[in-house]
Amino acid sequence: MDLSGSSLNRSQSLASGLEKTSHTWNKPAHSQSSSTLSSHSSTPHFFSIIPILPEVLRLLKLYICLKNRTAPGICEGYLLKRRKWPLKGWHKRYFVLEGGILRYSKNQQDVARGRVQGSLDVSLAVISINKKSNRIDLDAGDILYHMKAKSHELFYIWVTKLQAHRLYKKNEAAHVHSSFLHTLSLPTAAEQAQRNGDLSATGMADSAGASGVLPSANTAVNTKVSAWLQQSHNPDTCVQGICLIISHLDSLAHFILCLFYLYLVADFLCSFLFLFLRCQPEAVRRSSQGPPSVADSAAEYFDASDDILWGSSSEVSDESGLSDGSTTNSETPNSVVPKSTGRRTKLPVHCPDNSHVGLVAILYNNIGKDLARVSMPAVLNEPINLLQRLCEELEYSELLDTANNTSDPYQRMVYIAAFAISGYSTATFRNRYKPVNPILGETYECIREDRGFRLISEQVCHHPPISACHADSENFSFWQDQRWKNKFWGKSLEILPTGMVNVTLPRYGDHYEWNKVVTCIHNVFSQQRYLEHYGEVIIKNLKSNICTCKITFVKSRYWGSETNKNEVQGVVLDQSGSAIHRFGGLWHEGIFCDTLPTPKCIWKPNPQPKDYLLYYGFSSFAMELNELPSDLKPLLPPTDTRLRPDQRMLEDGRVDEADIKKDKIEEMQRERRKELAKRGEEHVPRFFKSKDSSGRDVWLTNGTYWKLRENPGFANLENLTLW
């Protein structure tokens, strides 16, 4: 046997030799020792190696790796890494996997500069994966990495690369630089040489050791394998047997690899089928899949559409998976595309560009101050007042109409919850401008015969700013006082509302009350600002404890798939805490409930009007809020928002004039406050009172607005002069 060749060449030559001689494997070997072998077997029986099979297989795996000693390719990119302390939250880090070593830095530039925050030898780590969450855990004892990939495809790439680098690094650590077959046969050859007095063979073995060729990294394994070879009395035949085993293991490895690829293909086909079934009607899916179930991921909530789809599949929204068509179910009226109301469908001019405004300087000059007291340039505002924003939460008031006409209390709670969620959808495209801050005593009314409600709102307090509203309808009453605190975190601004929202349903005497969640404005100093809602909403029926509702607005994972943003999950609980209904989805796309008698989408936002991004991202309903018809103007009090000149100038595109007028209005407010302070008086809201019957600190309507509007009319009354 030629011991001077490389391990790879020898392995290949022996393997090819095996193919030539495999047909004689079960025949007696024609050699001098054939008579000796006849009493045992023509070749070493496979079962004779069972006691040392684990060690043999481990060495065989090293051999298979030696067949291709090329290092795996470099894998690099951004992953989400869990914080080391206090093990809460995730941050984005740039990882590089090279030569079996995993390193990470804050970004790609730091990697290029050699600034490494940590490194890990993957051959020393236990790899754990979670396919559902695209999570990879590496545990090397003293080092522990928790990582997440942003997509399923990226997750598979990293898992495959980590396994390849781990195996490669393990092979490197073994220092197996000599021929694998030489390693197995060397001890037996040396003993045979000593037994026959063949000094040349012994010298050959010694020279091999002196040249740095290692017999094995594990002497115990070598001893067992050597003993097995000695018992066989024919090392050459054993080598052929081992080669056959290697061949079978190669085939098995290829078979396993094929199974893995088949699994990937099957997974892809399942995903494709999953997406295909999303344009399909709900009834078709139910017939083939059985009743749907609520899953942890919000993605599944959007895979169901209404029971009946109208129009072609091209009319179905690709983003949400919810049909834009109508439904025959009268309990989901908001799924119907709104009809023309006869009101305006666009603003007088496009929104101005505010990218030139130095927001950093403004905030820097007001460090430590309450941002509610900071006067912002008019160009940062949208021509909608916070009082009008309260009215905007009634855009989907039909959900309350449905709740008032639903006899089952658990189902009523589902529609109340959907209404509570729908109020946040206005933030979807409103990330570049803020509402105008109302002046103390400013009011706003909204009468919508088409929607069956009327609303009055008033700025009842200036420090802290509190806006109160009340709406009446045949099917509901709605009121809230909006107050908030804010926290500036350097790059983001958190708005923490503290007021409560109330809804009563006259048919069943229900009184629902719930809190609001945190709203966060990310990337405050960038034009890529976006809004996020997170926290928990608890809805209680103050008139009955038969059920409660818990809604969770899931905080985004800092860096993740777009489909997982704005996720919301909810559950309706009975008195014992058992879940009666589960629902969820995305607050900007829709909510689906599959525990109702007829699983369906219970709410989704109305389609946006044409060119909405050119008009502050307003919905059709928001476009109508500041409209001032000529027949309405004489009926309004002079404190109504639609009569405010700086807001009207802003809507008309006269931004410079709006800035000047805004300063004058704010100065007039300061003067009024000083006059009141001199007289020892405080401002008294005109249409709201500050306590309810139980003495809680809430603002309720005093019921005078609509009476004064009719008789004698605000034109005949003494009114505040706000501008």
Side-chain angles (χ1 to χ4, degrees), residues 413 538-541 545-550 571-574:
M413 183 64 84
I538 304 297
I539 305 179
K540 297 181 179 179
N541 187 347
N545 61 355
I546 189 173
C547 64
T548 57
C549 182
K550 177 182 176 182
V571 58
V572 176
L573 306 171
D574 62 11

Side-chain angles (χ1 to χ4, degrees), residues 386-401 404 415-424 444 446 451-458 467-482 499-506 510-516 539 621 688 699-702 706:
L386 280 172
L387 299 175
Q388 295 166 309
R389 272 289 187 99
L390 292 178
C391 182
E392 201 172 351
E393 295 183 21
L394 286 172
E395 179 171 359
Y396 301 98
S397 60
E398 57 267 28
L399 289 167
L400 300 181
D401 298 331
N404 192 51
Y415 288 107
I416 294 294
F419 173 77
I421 295 170
S422 70
Y424 293 95
Y444 176 73
C446 182
R451 296 173 181 264
F453 73 81
R454 63 182 185 179
L455 172 139
I456 172 63
S457 57
E458 181 180 6
S467 306
C469 74
H470 185 95
D472 282 315
S473 166
E474 290 183 359
N475 292 317
F476 65 86
S477 290
F478 165 85
W479 70 91
Q480 66 171 311
D481 53 80
Q482 182 169 273
M500 303 293 286
V501 184
N502 293 264
V503 166
T504 59
L505 303 180
D510 293 338
H511 180 178
Y512 300 96
E513 183 182 68
W514 64 88
N515 61 293
K516 289 189 172 182
I539 305 179
F621 186 72
F688 287 84
W699 289 89
L700 302 175
T701 178
N702 58 19
W706 303 111

